[in-house]
């Protein structure tokens, strides 16, 4: 669905590159994520793929349209949600969607239905300029799906949202993907990447360091650990043991044999821990 080869980008054309020789492919029906800290180059790549920024170096193929010579028709199949919501503040929420919907040559989703989906019911006739940041974000998100896109670009889809709204947005993304929509998303949130993405690319300083599924990464980089809380001398103690190292296995057996166990949980490495291991950098 998307093929990117040796993509580089320099905003100031000053020999400094904000995106460096990036290559990846996104398969049809996949949720592909760009995971990396702020300033890594995620939005820059999305903006090149969606035609917002001009392609400078490299090859980009998207479904059946040419990024170098885009036609208006490509918009019919694509949904885009950007980090900075570019909505009209003087129009109401409903007017924003209705106006945007008219730009497409394909049938669009009813705007009231969309507003309900993102929890903005009752706010149809409120001016978007009076919306909070989170509400604007939801409106932008709703707008990006008005044309029932086959390919959906989502830049930080849940950043800055309340947990319950973020959960709704995640569910919508999952549902759309179940219906067959291919999704490219960028995030600096390891939970989003872990929960939603079939594959993630770790990106730092404009470079992709690794691409794999969250499951494979955890298998490859995760240590198998078990965390045990037990009672000793009337006190609760907490220890973590490897389930692979022989001496830890023995110690764990001993604790189970000799003490009253309160809790016992297996721990797997988080995507952020793996990110730090691989890139030497955190996600903030
Ligand atoms: P991310 O989305 O991963 O946070 P961005 O793609 O927004 O990162 O930014 C990547 C780098 O490019 C950052 O160093 C940022 O400061 C720089 N950058 C972004 N937009 C511009 C611009 N319009 N002009 C110059 N530099 C920019
Ligand atoms: Mg960004």
């Amino acid at each position: 669905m998307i093929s990117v080869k040796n993509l580089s980008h320099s905003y100031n054309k000053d020999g400094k590159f904000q995106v460096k020789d990036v290559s990846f492919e996104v398969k049809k029906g996949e949720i592909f994520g760009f995971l990396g800290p702020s300033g890594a180059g995620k939005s820059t790549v999305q903006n090149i793929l969606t035609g917002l920024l001009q392609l400078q170096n490299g090859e980009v193929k998207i479904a059946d349209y040419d990024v170098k010579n885009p036609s208006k028709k490509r918009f019919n199949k694509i949904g885009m949600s950007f980090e900075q919501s570019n909505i009209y503040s003087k129009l109401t929420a409903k007017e924003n969607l209705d106006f945007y919907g008219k730009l497409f040559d394909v049938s669009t989703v009813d705007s009231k239905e969309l507003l309900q989906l993102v929890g903005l019911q009752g706010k149809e006739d409120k001016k978007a300029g009076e919306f909070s940041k989170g509400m604007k974000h939801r409106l932008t998100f709703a707008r990006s799906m008005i044309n029932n896109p086959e390919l959906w670009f989502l830049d930080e889809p849940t950043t800055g949202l309340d947990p319950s709204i973020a959960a709704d947005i995640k569910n919508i993304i999952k549902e759309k993907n179940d219906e067959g929509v291919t999704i490219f998303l960028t995030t600096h949130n390891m939970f989003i990447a872990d929960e939603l993405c079939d594959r993630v690319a770790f990106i730092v300083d404009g470079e992709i360091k690794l691409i794999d599924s969250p499951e494979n990464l955890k298998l490859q980089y995760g240590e198998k650990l078990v965390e045990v809380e037990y009672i000793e001398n009337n006190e609760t103690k907490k220890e973590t043991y490897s389930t692979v190292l022989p001496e830890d296995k023995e110690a764990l057996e001993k604790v189970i044999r000799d003490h009253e166990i309160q809790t016992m949980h297996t721990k797997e490495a988080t995507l952020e821990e793996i990110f730090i291991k691989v890139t030497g950098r955190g996600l903030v």
Side-chain angles (χ1 to χ4, degrees):
M1 199 70 167
I2 300 177
S3 158
V4 173
K5 282 190 193 136
N6 311 109
L7 180 70
S8 295
H9 193 85
S10 170
Y11 277 103
N12 299 319
K13 298 188 177 157
D14 55 358
K16 289 193 190 118
F17 286 85
Q18 283 73 37
V19 174
K20 299 167 194 161
D21 200 21
V22 157
S23 301
F24 64 94
E25 296 205 342
V26 181
K27 297 174 205 140
K28 195 169 162 50
E30 187 173 43
I31 304 185
F32 186 89
F34 256 29
L35 179 68
S38 176
K42 307 182 294 294
S43 298
T44 305
V45 172
Q46 175 175 319
N47 292 344
I48 296 167
L49 300 190
T50 51
L52 214 68
L53 274 177
Q54 207 180 351
L55 174 66
Q56 293 177 350
N57 302 297
E59 243 179 69
V60 175
K61 286 192 192 135
I62 294 187
D64 45 8
Y65 83 81
D66 182 355
V67 174
K68 282 189 185 144
N69 297 301
S71 71
K72 186 176 170 279
K73 279 214 160 33
R74 84 191 148 109
F75 286 112
N76 288 332
K77 292 182 181 175
I78 291 180
M80 314 174 193
S81 185
F82 301 110
E83 225 174 346
Q84 263 98 28
S85 34
N86 48 345
I87 44 182
Y88 297 104
S89 43
K90 288 194 177 147
L91 299 185
T92 66
K94 187 171 178 310
E95 285 166 350
N96 259 289
L97 294 186
D98 289 340
F99 176 75
Y100 193 69
K102 290 206 184 84
L103 300 175
F104 296 96
D105 301 330
V106 287
S107 68
T108 50
V109 186
D110 177 63
S111 52
K112 273 197 160 168
E113 202 179 297
L114 274 181
L115 289 169
Q116 175 145 21
L117 200 62
V118 298
L120 289 175
Q121 65 278 17
K123 304 281 192 287
E124 292 87 351
D125 301 321
K126 201 174 156 87
K127 286 213 168 71
E130 293 164 21
F131 276 10
S132 69
K133 214 175 152 199
M135 286 160 78
K136 282 183 188 159
H137 197 96
R138 281 187 267 162
L139 183 59
T140 312
F141 180 82
R143 196 185 62 176
S144 75
M145 57 199 282
I146 201 164
N147 56 323
N148 285 309
E150 283 172 20
L151 175 58
W152 202 9
F153 290 94
L154 298 171
D155 198 349
E156 306 278 358
T158 62
T159 299
L161 300 181
D162 292 342
S164 76
I165 305 286
D168 290 345
I169 298 275
K170 273 190 279 185
N171 285 333
I172 296 170
I173 295 172
K174 278 187 205 157
E175 273 167 32
K176 287 286 154 197
N177 180 244
D178 286 345
E179 290 168 18
V181 178
T182 308
I183 298 165
F184 177 90
L185 82 79
T186 86
T187 184
H188 61 266
N189 182 322
M190 64 150 179
F191 296 107
I192 304 294
D194 196 0
E195 205 179 325
L196 292 178
C197 295
D198 297 304
R199 287 187 306 140
V200 289
F202 284 1
I203 176 164
V204 171
D205 295 333
E207 282 178 272
I208 292 182
K209 300 289 183 187
L210 165 160
I211 301 175
D212 210 337
S213 69
E215 294 75 25
N216 277 349
L217 289 170
K218 284 185 212 160
L219 277 179
Q220 196 181 338
Y221 291 93
E223 285 177 73
K224 298 233 179 334
L225 298 173
V226 55
E227 193 177 78
V228 188
E229 281 186 316
Y230 60 95
I231 311 269
E232 190 175 60
N233 302 328
N234 293 322
E235 275 179 47
T236 303
K237 292 213 165 163
K238 188 150 102 179
E239 289 285 354
T240 304
Y241 300 99
S242 157
T243 56
V244 186
L245 295 174
E247 62 268 31
D248 272 32
K249 281 168 83 171
E250 229 166 80
L252 176 62
E253 276 171 19
K254 190 168 176 342
V255 163
I256 296 172
R257 203 167 47 233
D258 299 345
H259 299 280
E260 182 188 332
I261 303 294
Q262 285 199 310
T263 65
M264 202 155 124
H265 300 284
T266 49
K267 270 178 69 171
E268 57 180 6
T270 66
L271 223 45
E272 176 155 31
E273 285 164 350
I274 299 168
F275 192 94
I276 293 169
K277 246 187 209 177
V278 172
T279 69
R281 294 271 299 274
L283 282 170
V284 276

